Amino acid sequence: MRVNTLKRAAVAFALALPGAAIASVVAAPAAHADGCYTWQRTLNQGRSGDDVRQLQIRVAGWAGSGGIVRIDGRYGPETAAAVRRFQSAYGLRSDGIAGPQTFNKLYQLQDNDCTPAHFSYGELDDGCGRGGFSGGPLSADQTKANALRTMWKLEALRRGLGDQPLNVTSGFRSTACNRQIGGASDSQHRYGDAADLTSRTRSLCQIARESRTHGFSGILGPGYPDHDTHVHVDSRRENNSDRTANQTSWSAPDCGVGSGN
Ligand code: ZN
């Protein structure tokens, strides 16, 4: 569907600029050669490299119950299991090997800026309207990278909920923004790896429960103070800082969600 949309856009562009645009339309890249990233080899257990790392970022939302996928560039059992879950979620042969079928699905899902199809940097950037990813404890680049990883998990969560739209009501918050809106002083939002979620088609409890299988080590929802109107998810266990809050912490008592369940 997105490819058709792109084709239509390309045709409209060509019609608007006869002649000049023809060459670029003819050379329009196929879905697999987008502006973000192209894998050059099949990946399986035992491989390592930046291409593995790029894969891990995109399948980290398929970590399974309570799991996380370490973004370490090494294709171990947890990466293979995540690839299997990704494959099965999208109707592909589930063999844990990332080859052309798996990459093509990822190309379909990723935009030119590497964000997944249904989420954008604009939805995750500074929550007080300033935009961008600066003003937190990490560099803007690190924060933005965390936001990207969060978005791929959100894409997996969205799929897990049956392709239901998720609304991000708060993503990254600079330290000033976080203070302004009264967020917890050690809030994960300041690192770019948290999102507050609502949905018009799924209950908050459905979101909180489903989040448990999509790589989120932090889940706060209904029944947890100040979380009756949204579900907060984050990746505190993977956070690349030396803070102590690196344990799994789930609490949505009204949904039966707690650490250990
Ligand atoms: Zn939150």
Side-chain angles (χ1 to χ4, degrees):
M1 209 138 93
R2 295 178 61 244
V3 170
N4 288 338
T5 305
L6 285 172
K7 274 185 188 157
R8 272 200 300 279
V11 168
F13 184 60
L15 291 173
L17 287 170
I22 296 299
S24 66
V25 169
V26 169
H32 59 277
D34 63 23
C36 172
Y37 189 82
T38 301
W39 283 272
Q40 306 289 351
R41 57 174 182 164
T42 291
L43 298 174
N44 51 19
Q45 274 201 63
R47 299 283 192 182
S48 61
D50 187 58
D51 48 3
V52 174
R53 201 176 163 278
Q54 292 289 337
L55 175 68
Q56 288 170 326
I57 290 168
R58 290 161 179 77
V59 300
W62 297 99
S65 186
I68 60 169
V69 175
R70 272 177 286 271
I71 314 293
D72 59 4
R74 288 190 299 238
Y75 203 121
E78 69 190 13
T79 302
V83 168
R84 271 195 297 275
R85 291 188 197 96
F86 172 85
Q87 291 167 328
S88 125
Y90 287 97
L92 308 176
R93 186 161 37 94
S94 174
D95 58 8
I97 297 168
Q101 276 199 325
T102 300
F103 294 142
N104 277 330
K105 181 49 72 179
L106 289 171
Y107 298 140
Q108 281 176 26
L109 285 175
Q110 77 182 0
D111 295 328
N112 278 339
D113 66 356
C114 301
T115 60
H118 299 99
F119 298 90
S120 66
Y121 285 117
E123 290 173 89
L124 270 286
D125 66 5
D126 186 80
C128 292
R130 296 179 189 86
F133 292 95
S134 57
L138 305 178
S139 74
D141 282 351
Q142 285 175 304
T143 306
K144 191 176 178 184
N146 282 348
L148 181 66
R149 287 165 56 170
T150 300
M151 281 187 262
W152 278 98
K153 291 183 180 180
L154 293 177
E155 186 75 22
L157 173 61
R158 186 187 192 282
R159 181 74 178 181
L161 286 165
D163 286 325
Q164 297 302 308
L166 285 171
N167 183 35
V168 179
T169 58
S170 186
F172 166 65
R173 298 175 198 151
S174 65
T175 301
C177 169
N178 191 58
R179 197 180 299 127
Q180 184 185 322
I181 67 174
S185 61
D186 61 347
S187 170
Q188 294 289 318
H189 287 278
R190 298 178 309 133
Y191 296 85
D193 69 2
D196 291 344
L197 305 171
T198 62
S199 166
R200 276 178 288 109
T201 53
R202 290 290 182 268
S203 72
L204 294 179
C205 281
Q206 284 176 308
I207 297 172
R209 287 191 206 105
E210 182 66 23
S211 296
R212 297 177 293 186
T213 60
H214 294 289
F216 294 109
S217 44
I219 303 171
L220 302 173
Y224 185 84
D226 301 324
H227 285 71
D228 288 337
T229 58
H230 67 277
V231 174
H232 165 107
V233 291
D234 67 52
S235 300
R236 59 188 66 199
R237 260 175 80 189
E238 300 149 75
N239 196 296
N240 51 0
S241 76
D242 58 3
R243 291 166 317 118
T244 53
N246 59 355
Q247 305 289 316
T248 294
S249 181
W250 293 348
S251 184
D254 293 356
C255 312
V257 172
S259 292
N261 66 3

